[in-house]
mmCIF file of all heavy atoms in Angstrom:
data_model
loop_
_atom_site.group_PDB
_atom_site.id
_atom_site.type_symbol
_atom_site.label_atom_id
_atom_site.label_comp_id
_atom_site.label_asym_id
_atom_site.label_seq_id
_atom_site.Cartn_x
_atom_site.Cartn_y
_atom_site.Cartn_z
ATOM 1 N N ASP P 35 105.420 6.106 30.594
ATOM 2 C CA ASP P 35 105.058 4.777 31.112
ATOM 3 C C ASP P 35 106.198 4.153 31.913
ATOM 4 O O ASP P 35 105.962 3.442 32.891
ATOM 5 C CB ASP P 35 104.660 3.839 29.967
ATOM 6 C CG ASP P 35 103.282 4.154 29.393
ATOM 7 O OD1 ASP P 35 102.556 4.985 29.994
ATOM 8 O OD2 ASP P 35 102.948 3.575 28.349
ATOM 9 N N ASP P 48 107.786 9.961 45.107
ATOM 10 C CA ASP P 48 106.801 9.020 45.638
ATOM 11 C C ASP P 48 105.896 8.530 44.508
ATOM 12 O O ASP P 48 105.454 9.313 43.678
ATOM 13 C CB ASP P 48 105.930 9.686 46.713
ATOM 14 C CG ASP P 48 106.676 9.885 48.015
ATOM 15 O OD1 ASP P 48 107.715 9.230 48.216
ATOM 16 O OD2 ASP P 48 106.217 10.714 48.830
ATOM 17 N N GLY P 49 105.628 7.251 44.502
ATOM 18 C CA GLY P 49 104.715 6.684 43.514
ATOM 19 C C GLY P 49 105.379 6.201 42.239
ATOM 20 O O GLY P 49 104.772 5.455 41.481
ATOM 21 N N GLN P 109 106.882 28.964 43.380
ATOM 22 C CA GLN P 109 107.006 29.352 41.980
ATOM 23 C C GLN P 109 107.444 30.806 41.870
ATOM 24 O O GLN P 109 106.968 31.664 42.602
ATOM 25 C CB GLN P 109 105.670 29.186 41.249
ATOM 26 C CG GLN P 109 105.177 27.759 41.188
ATOM 27 C CD GLN P 109 103.835 27.639 40.499
ATOM 28 O OE1 GLN P 109 103.172 28.635 40.206
ATOM 29 N NE2 GLN P 109 103.417 26.422 40.233
ATOM 30 N N GLU P 125 120.072 30.732 41.893
ATOM 31 C CA GLU P 125 119.976 31.232 43.265
ATOM 32 C C GLU P 125 119.060 30.338 44.097
ATOM 33 O O GLU P 125 119.360 30.021 45.254
ATOM 34 C CB GLU P 125 119.468 32.673 43.267
ATOM 35 C CG GLU P 125 120.476 33.665 42.724
ATOM 36 C CD GLU P 125 119.890 35.064 42.541
ATOM 37 O OE1 GLU P 125 118.755 35.313 43.001
ATOM 38 O OE2 GLU P 125 120.585 35.894 41.925
ATOM 39 N N GLY P 137 110.989 22.414 25.292
ATOM 40 C CA GLY P 137 111.841 22.632 24.127
ATOM 41 C C GLY P 137 112.249 24.075 23.920
ATOM 42 O O GLY P 137 113.386 24.368 23.539
ATOM 43 N N GLY P 162 105.324 10.789 15.486
ATOM 44 C CA GLY P 162 104.888 11.367 14.224
ATOM 45 C C GLY P 162 104.372 12.787 14.316
ATOM 46 O O GLY P 162 103.991 13.376 13.310
ATOM 47 N N HIS P 190 118.346 5.497 28.473
ATOM 48 C CA HIS P 190 118.794 6.741 29.098
ATOM 49 C C HIS P 190 120.118 7.153 28.463
ATOM 50 O O HIS P 190 121.103 6.411 28.521
ATOM 51 C CB HIS P 190 118.972 6.548 30.598
ATOM 52 C CG HIS P 190 117.768 5.969 31.269
ATOM 53 N ND1 HIS P 190 116.624 6.710 31.493
ATOM 54 C CD2 HIS P 190 117.514 4.724 31.743
ATOM 55 C CE1 HIS P 190 115.734 5.944 32.100
ATOM 56 N NE2 HIS P 190 116.240 4.733 32.255
#
Side-chain angles (χ1 to χ4, degrees):
D35 286 351
D48 286 342
Q109 297 178 351
E125 290 172 9
H190 307 286

